[in-house]
Coordinates of all heavy atoms in Angstrom, one line a residue:
M17 N -9.0 -3.1 38.6 CA -10.2 -3.1 39.3 C -10.1 -2.7 40.7 O -11.0 -2.2 41.3 CB -10.9 -4.5 39.1 CG -12.2 -4.6 39.8 SD -13.2 -5.9 39.5 CE -12.2 -7.3 39.6
P18 N -9.0 -3.0 41.4 CA -8.9 -2.5 42.8 C -9.2 -1.1 43.0 O -9.8 -0.7 44.0 CB -7.5 -2.9 43.2 CG -7.1 -4.0 42.3 CD -7.8 -3.7 41.0
G19 N -8.8 -0.2 42.0 CA -9.1 1.2 42.1 C -10.6 1.5 42.1 O -11.1 2.3 42.8
L20 N -11.3 0.8 41.3 CA -12.8 1.0 41.2 C -13.4 0.5 42.5 O -14.4 1.1 43.0 CB -13.3 0.2 40.0 CG -13.0 0.8 38.6 CD1 -13.5 -0.1 37.5 CD2 -13.5 2.2 38.5
V21 N -13.0 -0.6 43.0 CA -13.5 -1.2 44.3 C -13.3 -0.2 45.4 O -14.2 0.1 46.2 CB -13.0 -2.6 44.6 CG1 -13.4 -3.0 45.9 CG2 -13.4 -3.6 43.5
S22 N -12.1 0.4 45.5 CA -11.8 1.4 46.6 C -12.6 2.7 46.4 O -13.1 3.3 47.3 CB -10.3 1.7 46.7 OG -9.8 2.3 45.5
T23 N -12.8 3.1 45.1 CA -13.7 4.3 44.9 C -15.1 4.0 45.3 O -15.8 4.8 45.9 CB -13.6 4.7 43.4 OG1 -12.3 5.0 43.0 CG2 -14.5 5.8 43.1
T24 N -15.6 2.8 44.9 CA -17.0 2.4 45.3 C -17.1 2.4 46.8 O -18.1 2.9 47.4 CB -17.3 1.0 44.7 OG1 -17.2 1.1 43.3 CG2 -18.7 0.6 45.2
A25 N -16.1 1.9 47.5 CA -16.1 1.8 49.0 C -16.2 3.2 49.6 O -16.9 3.5 50.5 CB -14.9 1.1 49.5
A26 N -15.4 4.1 49.0 CA -15.4 5.5 49.5 C -16.7 6.2 49.3 O -17.2 6.9 50.2 CB -14.2 6.3 48.9
L27 N -17.3 6.0 48.1 CA -18.6 6.6 47.8 C -19.7 6.1 48.7 O -20.5 6.8 49.2 CB -19.0 6.4 46.3 CG -18.2 7.2 45.3 CD1 -18.4 6.7 43.9 CD2 -18.5 8.6 45.4
F28 N -19.7 4.7 48.9 CA -20.7 4.1 49.7 C -20.6 4.7 51.2 O -21.6 5.0 51.8 CB -20.5 2.6 49.7 CG -21.7 1.8 50.4 CD1 -22.6 1.2 49.6 CD2 -21.8 1.8 51.7 CE1 -23.6 0.5 50.1 CE2 -22.9 1.1 52.3 CZ -23.8 0.4 51.5
A29 N -19.4 4.7 51.7 CA -19.2 5.2 53.1 C -19.6 6.7 53.2 O -20.2 7.0 54.2 CB -17.7 5.1 53.5
A30 N -19.3 7.5 52.2 CA -19.7 8.9 52.3 C -21.2 9.1 52.2 O -21.8 9.8 53.0 CB -19.0 9.7 51.1
C31 N -21.8 8.3 51.4 CA -23.3 8.4 51.3 C -24.0 7.8 52.5 O -24.9 8.4 53.0 CB -23.8 7.6 50.1 SG -23.3 8.3 48.5
W32 N -23.4 6.8 53.1 CA -24.0 6.2 54.3 C -23.9 7.2 55.5 O -24.8 7.3 56.3 CB -23.3 4.9 54.6 CG -24.1 4.1 55.7 CD1 -23.9 3.9 57.0 CD2 -25.4 3.4 55.4 NE1 -24.8 3.2 57.6 CE2 -25.8 2.9 56.6 CE3 -26.2 3.2 54.3 CZ2 -26.9 2.1 56.8 CZ3 -27.3 2.5 54.4 CH2 -27.7 1.9 55.7
A33 N -22.7 7.8 55.6 CA -22.5 8.8 56.6 C -23.5 10.0 56.5 O -23.9 10.5 57.6 CB -21.1 9.3 56.6
A34 N -23.8 10.4 55.3 CA -24.7 11.5 55.1 C -26.2 11.1 55.3 O -27.1 12.0 55.4 CB -24.5 12.1 53.7
L35 N -26.5 9.8 55.3 CA -27.9 9.4 55.3 C -28.4 9.5 56.7 O -27.8 9.0 57.7 CB -27.9 7.9 54.8 CG -29.3 7.3 54.6 CD1 -29.9 8.0 53.4 CD2 -29.1 5.8 54.2
K36 N -29.6 10.0 56.9 CA -30.3 10.1 58.2 C -30.8 8.8 58.6 O -31.1 7.9 57.7 CB -31.4 11.1 58.1 CG -31.0 12.5 57.9 CD -32.2 13.4 57.8 CE -31.7 14.9 57.6 NZ -32.9 15.8 57.6
P37 N -30.9 8.5 59.9 CA -31.5 7.3 60.4 C -32.9 7.1 59.7 O -33.7 8.1 59.7 CB -31.6 7.5 61.9 CG -30.5 8.4 62.2 CD -30.4 9.3 61.0
G38 N -33.2 5.9 59.3 CA -34.5 5.7 58.6 C -34.4 5.9 57.1 O -35.3 5.5 56.4
G39 N -33.3 6.5 56.6 CA -33.2 6.8 55.2 C -32.8 5.6 54.4 O -32.4 4.6 55.0
V40 N -33.0 5.6 53.1 CA -32.8 4.5 52.3 C -31.7 4.8 51.3 O -31.7 5.9 50.7 CB -34.1 4.1 51.5 CG1 -33.8 3.0 50.5 CG2 -35.2 3.6 52.4
L41 N -30.7 3.9 51.2 CA -29.6 4.0 50.2 C -29.8 2.9 49.2 O -30.1 1.8 49.5 CB -28.3 3.8 50.9 CG -27.1 3.9 49.9 CD1 -26.0 4.8 50.6 CD2 -26.5 2.6 49.6
V42 N -29.8 3.3 47.9 CA -29.8 2.4 46.8 C -28.5 2.3 46.2 O -27.9 3.3 45.8 CB -30.9 2.8 45.7 CG1 -30.9 1.9 44.5 CG2 -32.3 2.9 46.3
F43 N -27.9 1.1 46.1 CA -26.6 0.8 45.5 C -26.9 0.2 44.2 O -27.6 -0.8 44.0 CB -25.8 -0.2 46.4 CG -24.5 -0.6 45.8 CD1 -23.4 0.1 46.1 CD2 -24.5 -1.7 44.9 CE1 -22.1 -0.3 45.5 CE2 -23.3 -2.1 44.3 CZ -22.1 -1.4 44.6
A44 N -26.3 0.8 43.1 CA -26.5 0.3 41.8 C -25.2 0.3 41.1 O -24.4 1.1 41.2 CB -27.5 1.2 41.0
S45 N -25.0 -0.8 40.3 CA -23.8 -1.0 39.6 C -24.1 -1.5 38.2 O -25.0 -2.4 38.0 CB -22.9 -2.0 40.3 OG -21.8 -2.3 39.5
C46 N -23.5 -1.0 37.2 CA -23.7 -1.5 35.8 C -22.6 -2.4 35.4 O -22.1 -2.4 34.3 CB -23.9 -0.4 34.8 SG -22.5 0.8 34.7
S47 N -22.1 -3.2 36.4 CA -21.0 -4.2 36.1 C -21.5 -5.6 36.2 O -22.4 -6.0 36.9 CB -20.0 -4.0 37.2 OG -19.0 -4.9 37.1
A48 N -20.9 -6.4 35.3 CA -21.2 -7.8 35.3 C -20.3 -8.6 36.4 O -20.5 -9.7 36.6 CB -21.0 -8.4 33.9
L49 N -19.4 -7.8 37.0 CA -18.4 -8.4 37.9 C -19.0 -8.5 39.3 O -19.4 -7.5 39.8 CB -17.1 -7.6 37.9 CG -16.5 -7.5 36.5 CD1 -15.2 -6.6 36.6 CD2 -16.1 -8.9 36.0
R50 N -18.9 -9.7 39.9 CA -19.4 -9.8 41.3 C -18.7 -8.9 42.3 O -19.2 -8.4 43.2 CB -19.3 -11.3 41.8 CG -20.2 -12.2 41.2 CD -20.1 -13.6 41.8 NE -20.3 -13.6 43.2 CZ -21.5 -13.6 43.9 NH1 -22.6 -13.8 43.2 NH2 -21.6 -13.6 45.2
A51 N -17.4 -8.7 42.0 CA -16.5 -7.8 42.9 C -17.1 -6.4 42.9 O -16.9 -5.7 43.9 CB -15.1 -7.8 42.4
E52 N -17.7 -6.0 41.9 CA -18.3 -4.6 41.8 C -19.8 -4.5 42.1 O -20.4 -3.5 42.0 CB -18.0 -4.0 40.5 CG -16.5 -3.8 40.2 CD -16.3 -3.3 38.8 OE1 -17.2 -3.2 37.9 OE2 -15.1 -3.0 38.5
A53 N -20.3 -5.7 42.5 CA -21.8 -5.7 42.7 C -22.1 -6.5 44.0 O -22.0 -6.0 45.1 CB -22.5 -6.3 41.5
E54 N -22.4 -7.8 43.9 CA -22.8 -8.6 45.0 C -21.7 -8.6 46.1 O -22.0 -8.4 47.3 CB -23.0 -10.1 44.6 CG -24.3 -10.3 43.7 CD -24.0 -10.2 42.2 OE1 -22.9 -9.6 41.8 OE2 -24.8 -10.6 41.5
D55 N -20.4 -8.8 45.8 CA -19.4 -8.9 46.8 C -19.2 -7.5 47.4 O -18.8 -7.4 48.6 CB -18.1 -9.4 46.1 CG -18.1 -10.8 45.7 OD1 -19.1 -11.5 46.0 OD2 -17.2 -11.2 44.9
A56 N -19.4 -6.4 46.6 CA -19.2 -5.1 47.1 C -20.2 -4.8 48.2 O -19.8 -4.3 49.3 CB -19.3 -4.1 46.0
V57 N -21.5 -5.1 48.0 CA -22.5 -4.7 49.0 C -22.3 -5.6 50.2 O -22.5 -5.2 51.3 CB -23.9 -4.8 48.5 CG1 -24.2 -3.7 47.5 CG2 -24.3 -6.1 48.0
A58 N -21.9 -6.9 50.0 CA -21.6 -7.7 51.2 C -20.5 -7.2 52.1 O -20.6 -7.3 53.3 CB -21.3 -9.2 50.7
A59 N -19.5 -6.6 51.4 CA -18.4 -6.1 52.2 C -18.6 -4.7 52.7 O -18.1 -4.3 53.8 CB -17.1 -6.1 51.3
L60 N -19.5 -3.9 52.0 CA -19.6 -2.5 52.4 C -20.7 -2.2 53.3 O -20.7 -1.2 54.0 CB -19.8 -1.7 51.1 CG -18.6 -1.7 50.1 CD1 -19.0 -0.9 48.8 CD2 -17.4 -1.1 50.7
A61 N -21.8 -3.0 53.3 CA -22.9 -2.7 54.2 C -22.6 -2.7 55.6 O -22.1 -3.7 56.1 CB -24.1 -3.7 53.9
P62 N -22.7 -1.6 56.3 CA -22.4 -1.5 57.8 C -23.4 -2.3 58.6 O -24.5 -2.6 58.1 CB -22.4 0.0 58.1 CG -23.2 0.6 57.0 CD -23.1 -0.3 55.8
P63 N -23.0 -2.5 59.9 CA -23.9 -3.3 60.7 C -25.3 -2.7 60.9 O -26.3 -3.4 61.1 CB -23.2 -3.3 62.1 CG -21.8 -3.1 61.8 CD -21.8 -2.2 60.5
D64 N -25.4 -1.4 60.8 CA -26.8 -0.7 60.9 C -27.5 -0.6 59.6 O -28.5 0.1 59.5 CB -26.6 0.6 61.6 CG -25.8 1.6 60.8 OD1 -25.0 1.2 59.9 OD2 -26.0 2.9 61.0
A65 N -27.1 -1.4 58.6 CA -27.8 -1.4 57.3 C -28.8 -2.5 57.3 O -28.4 -3.7 57.4 CB -26.8 -1.6 56.2
E66 N -30.1 -2.2 57.2 CA -31.1 -3.2 57.1 C -31.4 -3.4 55.6 O -31.8 -2.5 54.9 CB -32.4 -2.7 57.8 CG -33.6 -3.5 57.6 CD -34.9 -2.8 58.0 OE1 -34.8 -1.7 58.6 OE2 -36.0 -3.3 57.6
P67 N -31.2 -4.6 55.1 CA -31.5 -4.9 53.7 C -33.0 -4.7 53.5 O -33.8 -5.1 54.3 CB -31.1 -6.4 53.5 CG -30.2 -6.7 54.7 CD -30.6 -5.8 55.8
L68 N -33.3 -4.1 52.4 CA -34.7 -3.9 51.9 C -34.8 -4.7 50.6 O -34.4 -4.2 49.5 CB -35.0 -2.5 51.6 CG -35.0 -1.5 52.9 CD1 -35.3 -0.1 52.4 CD2 -36.1 -2.0 53.8
P69 N -35.3 -6.0 50.7 CA -35.3 -6.8 49.5 C -36.1 -6.2 48.4 O -37.1 -5.6 48.6 CB -35.9 -8.1 50.0 CG -35.7 -8.1 51.5 CD -35.8 -6.6 51.9
L70 N -35.6 -6.4 47.2 CA -36.3 -6.0 46.0 C -37.1 -7.2 45.5 O -36.6 -8.4 45.5 CB -35.3 -5.6 44.9 CG -34.7 -4.2 45.2 CD1 -33.4 -4.1 44.4 CD2 -35.7 -3.1 44.8
R71 N -38.3 -7.0 45.0 CA -39.1 -8.1 44.4 C -39.6 -7.7 43.1 O -39.5 -6.5 42.7 CB -40.3 -8.3 45.4 CG -39.9 -8.7 46.8 CD -41.1 -8.5 47.7 NE -41.6 -7.1 47.7 CZ -41.4 -6.2 48.6 NH1 -40.7 -6.5 49.7 NH2 -41.9 -5.0 48.5
A72 N -40.1 -8.6 42.3 CA -40.5 -8.3 40.9 C -41.5 -7.2 40.9 O -41.5 -6.4 40.0 CB -41.1 -9.6 40.3
R73 N -42.4 -7.1 41.9 CA -43.4 -6.1 41.9 C -42.9 -4.7 42.1 O -43.6 -3.7 42.0 CB -44.5 -6.4 42.9 CG -44.1 -6.3 44.3 CD -45.3 -6.6 45.3 NE -45.0 -6.3 46.6 CZ -45.0 -7.3 47.6 NH1 -45.3 -8.5 47.3 NH2 -44.7 -7.0 48.8
D74 N -41.6 -4.6 42.6 CA -41.0 -3.3 42.8 C -40.4 -2.7 41.6 O -40.0 -1.5 41.6 CB -39.8 -3.5 43.8 CG -40.3 -4.0 45.2 OD1 -41.4 -3.6 45.6 OD2 -39.5 -4.7 45.9
V75 N -40.4 -3.4 40.5 CA -39.7 -2.9 39.3 C -40.7 -2.9 38.1 O -41.8 -3.5 38.2 CB -38.5 -3.7 38.9 CG1 -37.4 -3.7 40.0 CG2 -38.9 -5.1 38.6
D76 N -40.4 -2.2 37.1 CA -41.2 -2.0 35.9 C -41.4 -3.4 35.3 O -40.6 -4.3 35.4 CB -40.4 -1.2 34.9 CG -41.3 -0.8 33.7 OD1 -41.3 -1.6 32.8 OD2 -41.8 0.3 33.7
D77 N -42.6 -3.6 34.6 CA -42.9 -4.8 34.0 C -41.9 -5.3 33.0 O -41.8 -6.5 32.7 CB -44.3 -4.8 33.3 CG -45.5 -4.7 34.3 OD1 -45.2 -5.0 35.5 OD2 -46.6 -4.3 33.9
D78 N -41.2 -4.4 32.4 CA -40.1 -4.7 31.4 C -39.1 -5.6 32.0 O -38.3 -6.3 31.3 CB -39.5 -3.5 30.8 CG -40.5 -2.8 29.8 OD1 -41.4 -3.4 29.4 OD2 -40.2 -1.6 29.6
F79 N -38.9 -5.5 33.4 CA -37.9 -6.3 34.1 C -38.4 -7.5 34.8 O -37.8 -8.1 35.6 CB -37.2 -5.4 35.1 CG -36.6 -4.1 34.5 CD1 -37.2 -2.9 34.6 CD2 -35.4 -4.2 33.7 CE1 -36.6 -1.8 34.1 CE2 -34.9 -3.1 33.2 CZ -35.5 -1.9 33.3
A80 N -39.6 -8.0 34.4 CA -40.2 -9.1 35.1 C -39.4 -10.4 35.0 O -39.5 -11.2 35.9 CB -41.6 -9.4 34.4
D81 N -38.5 -10.5 34.0 CA -37.7 -11.7 33.9 C -36.3 -11.6 34.6 O -35.5 -12.5 34.5 CB -37.4 -12.1 32.4 CG -38.7 -12.5 31.7 OD1 -39.6 -13.0 32.4 OD2 -38.8 -12.4 30.5
A82 N -36.1 -10.4 35.2 CA -34.8 -10.2 35.9 C -34.6 -11.2 37.0 O -35.6 -11.8 37.5 CB -34.8 -8.8 36.5
A83 N -33.4 -11.4 37.4 CA -33.1 -12.3 38.5 C -33.1 -11.5 39.8 O -32.5 -10.5 40.0 CB -31.7 -12.9 38.3
F84 N -33.8 -12.1 40.8 CA -33.8 -11.5 42.2 C -33.1 -12.5 43.1 O -33.7 -13.6 43.3 CB -35.3 -11.3 42.6 CG -35.9 -10.2 41.8 CD1 -36.6 -10.5 40.6 CD2 -35.8 -8.9 42.2 CE1 -37.2 -9.5 39.9 CE2 -36.4 -7.8 41.4 CZ -37.1 -8.2 40.2
V85 N -31.9 -12.2 43.5 CA -31.1 -13.1 44.3 C -30.8 -12.5 45.6 O -30.2 -11.4 45.6 CB -29.8 -13.5 43.5 CG1 -29.0 -14.5 44.3 CG2 -30.2 -14.1 42.1
G86 N -31.1 -13.1 46.7 CA -30.8 -12.6 48.0 C -31.4 -11.2 48.2 O -30.9 -10.4 49.0
G87 N -32.6 -11.0 47.6 CA -33.2 -9.7 47.8 C -32.6 -8.6 46.9 O -33.1 -7.4 47.0
H88 N -31.7 -8.9 46.1 CA -31.1 -7.9 45.2 C -31.5 -8.2 43.7 O -31.8 -9.3 43.4 CB -29.5 -8.0 45.2 CG -29.0 -7.9 46.6 ND1 -29.3 -6.9 47.5 CD2 -28.1 -8.7 47.3 CE1 -28.6 -7.1 48.6 NE2 -27.9 -8.2 48.5
L89 N -31.5 -7.2 42.9 CA -31.9 -7.3 41.5 C -30.6 -7.5 40.7 O -29.6 -6.7 40.8 CB -32.6 -6.0 41.1 CG -32.8 -5.9 39.5 CD1 -33.8 -6.9 39.0 CD2 -33.3 -4.5 39.2
R90 N -30.6 -8.5 39.8 CA -29.5 -8.7 38.9 C -30.1 -8.8 37.5 O -30.9 -9.7 37.3 CB -28.7 -10.0 39.3 CG -27.6 -10.4 38.3 CD -26.7 -9.2 38.0 NE -25.4 -9.3 38.7 CZ -24.4 -8.4 38.5 NH1 -24.6 -7.5 37.5 NH2 -23.3 -8.5 39.1
L91 N -29.7 -7.9 36.7 CA -30.3 -7.8 35.3 C -29.2 -8.1 34.3 O -28.1 -7.5 34.4 CB -30.9 -6.4 35.1 CG -31.6 -6.1 33.8 CD1 -32.9 -7.0 33.7 CD2 -32.0 -4.7 33.8
W92 N -29.5 -8.9 33.4 CA -28.5 -9.3 32.3 C -29.2 -8.9 31.0 O -30.4 -8.8 30.9 CB -28.2 -10.8 32.3 CG -27.6 -11.3 33.6 CD1 -28.1 -11.9 34.6 CD2 -26.2 -11.1 33.9 NE1 -27.2 -12.2 35.6 CE2 -26.0 -11.7 35.2 CE3 -25.1 -10.4 33.3 CZ2 -24.8 -11.7 35.9 CZ3 -23.9 -10.4 34.0 CH2 -23.7 -11.0 35.2
P93 N -28.4 -8.7 29.9 CA -28.9 -8.3 28.6 C -30.0 -9.2 28.1 O -31.0 -8.7 27.5 CB -27.7 -8.4 27.7 CG -26.5 -8.1 28.6 CD -26.9 -8.8 29.9
W94 N -30.0 -10.5 28.4 CA -31.0 -11.4 27.9 C -32.3 -11.2 28.6 O -33.3 -11.8 28.2 CB -30.6 -12.8 27.9 CG -30.1 -13.3 29.2 CD1 -30.8 -13.8 30.3 CD2 -28.7 -13.3 29.7 NE1 -30.0 -14.2 31.3 CE2 -28.7 -13.9 31.0 CE3 -27.5 -13.0 29.1 CZ2 -27.5 -14.0 31.7 CZ3 -26.3 -13.1 29.9 CH2 -26.4 -13.7 31.1
H95 N -32.4 -10.4 29.7 CA -33.6 -10.2 30.4 C -34.5 -9.2 29.7 O -35.7 -9.2 30.0 CB -33.4 -9.7 31.8 CG -32.9 -10.8 32.7 ND1 -31.8 -10.6 33.6 CD2 -33.2 -12.1 32.9 CE1 -31.6 -11.7 34.3 NE2 -32.4 -12.6 33.8
L96 N -34.0 -8.5 28.8 CA -34.8 -7.5 28.0 C -34.8 -7.9 26.6 O -33.8 -8.4 26.0 CB -34.3 -6.1 28.2 CG -34.4 -5.5 29.6 CD1 -33.9 -4.1 29.6 CD2 -35.9 -5.4 30.0
E97 N -35.9 -7.6 25.9 CA -36.1 -8.0 24.5 C -35.0 -7.3 23.7 O -34.7 -6.1 23.8 CB -37.5 -7.5 24.0 CG -37.8 -7.9 22.6 CD -39.2 -7.5 22.2 OE1 -40.0 -7.3 23.1 OE2 -39.4 -7.3 21.0
G98 N -34.3 -8.1 22.9 CA -33.3 -7.6 22.0 C -32.0 -7.3 22.8 O -31.1 -6.7 22.2
G99 N -31.9 -7.7 24.0 CA -30.6 -7.4 24.8 C -30.4 -5.9 25.0 O -29.2 -5.5 24.9
A100 N -31.4 -5.2 25.2 CA -31.4 -3.7 25.2 C -30.8 -3.2 26.5 O -31.3 -2.1 27.0 CB -32.8 -3.2 24.9
C101 N -29.9 -3.8 27.1 CA -29.3 -3.3 28.4 C -27.9 -3.9 28.6 O -27.6 -4.9 28.0 CB -30.2 -3.5 29.6 SG -30.2 -5.2 30.2
D102 N -27.2 -3.3 29.5 CA -25.9 -3.9 30.0 C -26.3 -4.8 31.2 O -27.5 -4.8 31.6 CB -24.9 -2.9 30.4 CG -24.4 -2.1 29.2 OD1 -24.4 -2.7 28.1 OD2 -24.1 -0.9 29.3
A103 N -25.3 -5.3 31.9 CA -25.5 -6.0 33.1 C -25.7 -4.9 34.2 O -25.1 -3.8 34.2 CB -24.3 -6.8 33.5
H104 N -26.7 -5.2 35.1 CA -27.0 -4.2 36.2 C -27.2 -5.0 37.5 O -27.6 -6.1 37.5 CB -28.2 -3.4 35.9 CG -28.1 -2.5 34.8 ND1 -27.4 -1.3 34.9 CD2 -28.5 -2.6 33.5 CE1 -27.4 -0.7 33.7 NE2 -28.0 -1.4 32.8
F105 N -26.9 -4.3 38.6 CA -27.1 -4.9 39.9 C -27.7 -3.8 40.8 O -27.2 -2.6 40.7 CB -25.8 -5.4 40.5 CG -25.9 -5.8 41.9 CD1 -26.4 -7.1 42.2 CD2 -25.6 -5.0 43.0 CE1 -26.5 -7.5 43.5 CE2 -25.7 -5.4 44.3 CZ -26.2 -6.7 44.6
V106 N -28.7 -4.1 41.6 CA -29.3 -3.1 42.5 C -29.6 -3.7 43.9 O -30.1 -4.8 43.9 CB -30.6 -2.5 41.9 CG1 -31.2 -1.5 42.9 CG2 -30.4 -2.0 40.5
A107 N -29.2 -3.0 44.9 CA -29.5 -3.4 46.3 C -30.0 -2.2 47.1 O -29.6 -1.1 46.7 CB -28.2 -4.0 47.0
R108 N -30.9 -2.4 48.0 CA -31.4 -1.3 48.9 C -31.1 -1.6 50.3 O -31.2 -2.8 50.8 CB -32.9 -1.1 48.7 CG -33.5 -0.9 47.5 CD -34.9 -0.5 47.6 NE -35.8 -1.7 48.0 CZ -37.1 -1.7 47.9 NH1 -37.7 -0.6 47.5 NH2 -37.8 -2.8 48.2
F109 N -30.9 -0.5 51.1 CA -30.7 -0.7 52.5 C -31.3 0.5 53.2 O -31.3 1.6 52.7 CB -29.2 -0.6 52.9 CG -28.4 -1.7 52.2 CD1 -27.7 -1.5 51.0 CD2 -28.3 -3.0 52.8 CE1 -27.0 -2.6 50.4 CE2 -27.6 -4.0 52.2 CZ -27.0 -3.8 51.0
R110 N -31.9 0.3 54.4 CA -32.4 1.3 55.3 C -31.4 1.5 56.4 O -31.0 0.5 57.0 CB -33.8 1.0 55.8 CG -34.3 2.1 56.7 CD -35.7 1.8 57.3 NE -36.6 1.1 56.4 CZ -37.4 1.7 55.5 NH1 -37.3 3.0 55.3 NH2 -38.2 1.0 54.7
K111 N -31.1 2.7 56.8 CA -30.3 3.0 57.9 C -31.1 2.9 59.2 O -32.1 3.6 59.3 CB -29.6 4.4 57.8 CG -28.5 4.6 58.8 CD -27.8 5.9 58.5 CE -26.5 6.1 59.3 NZ -25.8 7.3 58.8
A112 N -30.6 2.0 60.1 CA -31.3 1.8 61.4 C -31.3 3.1 62.2 O -30.4 4.0 62.0 CB -30.7 0.7 62.2
G113 N -32.3 3.2 63.0 CA -32.3 4.4 63.9 C -33.6 5.1 64.1 O -34.5 5.1 63.5

């Protein structure tokens, strides 16, 4: 897993560097592991990253039962009828400026 975490860090940094001030970056992971989701965004978000909280009204009605924790979306298989998904995590940030 350390290899995946370092790849994620490199991708996040490259995307953030290319993002114009005021632009929005969406971080998404299809991992059930905190290290590749919640912990990753906590470690990777630079000081000029303004969190843009996700709310139930921001997503499709099919995801109404999803967990919204700390402004991030955490989706588990039991959140959709028939377990029709893997684990997912989504966070959004706006670049200050």
Side-chain angles (χ1 to χ4, degrees):
M17 180 167 47
L20 291 176
V21 173
S22 64
T23 299
T24 299
L27 287 169
F28 192 104
C31 290
W32 195 257
L35 192 64
K36 293 180 180 179
V40 174
L41 181 134
V42 175
F43 175 92
S45 172
C46 59
S47 177
L49 302 175
R50 287 186 57 87
E52 295 177 352
E54 292 90 344
D55 295 348
V57 296
L60 298 174
D64 62 339
E66 171 195 347
L68 294 176
L70 288 159
R71 300 163 305 256
R73 69 174 186 244
D74 296 328
V75 299
D76 189 276
D77 290 342
D78 289 341
F79 301 106
D81 292 335
F84 294 88
V85 180
H88 307 309
L89 168 70
R90 177 48 103 170
L91 185 64
W92 297 103
W94 54 86
H95 287 137
L96 291 180
E97 185 176 333
C101 74
D102 293 329
H104 293 281
F105 174 83
V106 180
R108 306 188 285 194
F109 300 94
R110 181 181 319 277
K111 190 171 191 175

